[in-house]
Amino acid sequence: MATHIAFLRAINLGATRKFPKDAIVAAVEKAGFTDVATHINTGNVRFDTTLRSRAKIEAALEEAFEADRGFEVPTIVFTQRELVAIAEKAESFGHSGRHYVSLLKETPTAAAVKALQAAASDGEVAKVAGRAVHLLLGENYHEAKLTNAAVEKHLGVATNRNLTVIRTLADKWG
């Protein structure tokens, strides 16, 4: 058995994409995963599985979520070690402004990373490390050009968490 952490994209936004924590746990367990736990109601879930392939894990979860909710829920999975490495990498930037992490479904190409970095405006930086994009922003996130939407435009499916959530999950589940 190996422990993994899944990040669900675009749930609990608006009136039609509701997916409460208890329903997430039930869907993950129904899909055959064990020792399931969630953290806050933004789609962070830890579980154990005998599956070894990240792609197979993501596919099984996405199928279970769509069957339960009736809408697609893109899901991005990391190992405990990968999550801890993302949190540790964040510390190396020494950024004092807003720090968000976009978690990617696939590893981006060098050309895609370059295109994302070119989309930044003054005071914004995207640092890509594997399947994590560290968005180092100013104080006003709502005026930033480097958002998860920009990340997805250039790098594909992603979900975004603030650094506090990433650190908390790395400490709690890493």
Side-chain angles (χ1 to χ4, degrees):
M1 283 285 195
T3 301
H4 289 79
I5 298 91
F7 296 89
L8 286 59
R9 183 188 173 282
I11 63 163
N12 299 325
L13 302 171
T16 61
R17 296 189 59 85
K18 298 295 182 197
F19 204 172
K21 292 186 326 182
D22 292 344
I24 293 171
V25 170
V28 173
E29 289 174 343
K30 188 174 180 181
F33 300 98
T34 60
D35 197 22
V36 181
T38 60
H39 175 77
I40 63 178
N41 208 28
T42 59
N44 311 298
V45 59
R46 187 211 68 226
F47 54 89
D48 289 342
T49 182
T50 56
L51 293 176
R52 294 175 180 244
S53 163
R54 177 176 55 86
K56 287 181 181 178
I57 294 168
E58 289 173 345
L61 291 171
E62 288 171 348
E63 182 178 313
F65 297 153
E66 186 166 7
D68 185 84
R69 292 286 106 180
F71 55 80
E72 289 184 16
V73 180
T75 303
I76 300 165
V77 172
F78 290 90
T79 65
Q80 291 172 293
R81 185 174 299 153
E82 289 170 326
L83 179 61
V84 168
I86 291 167
E88 289 174 350
K89 184 68 174 174
E91 301 307 321
S92 73
F93 299 126
H95 182 66
S96 61
R98 302 256 184 216
H99 186 152
Y100 288 81
V101 182
S102 287
L103 304 165
L104 303 171
K105 196 159 183 77
E106 301 297 335
T107 303
T109 65
V113 170
K114 189 173 182 177
L116 173 66
Q117 292 169 335
S121 65
D122 289 340
E124 299 178 358
V125 177
K127 301 276 187 175
V128 181
R131 292 190 306 125
V133 180
H134 296 266
L135 301 175
L136 310 179
L137 308 172
E139 288 304 315
N140 192 341
Y141 178 76
H142 300 291
E143 292 179 5
K145 291 192 187 243
L146 278 181
T147 63
N148 198 62
V151 170
E152 284 195 311
K153 177 180 177 182
H154 297 288
L155 307 183
V157 176
T159 190
N160 192 266
R161 302 293 186 273
N162 69 39
L163 183 56
T164 301
V165 170
I166 296 295
R167 284 181 181 143
T168 299
L169 293 178
D171 290 343
K172 183 177 179 179
W173 292 341

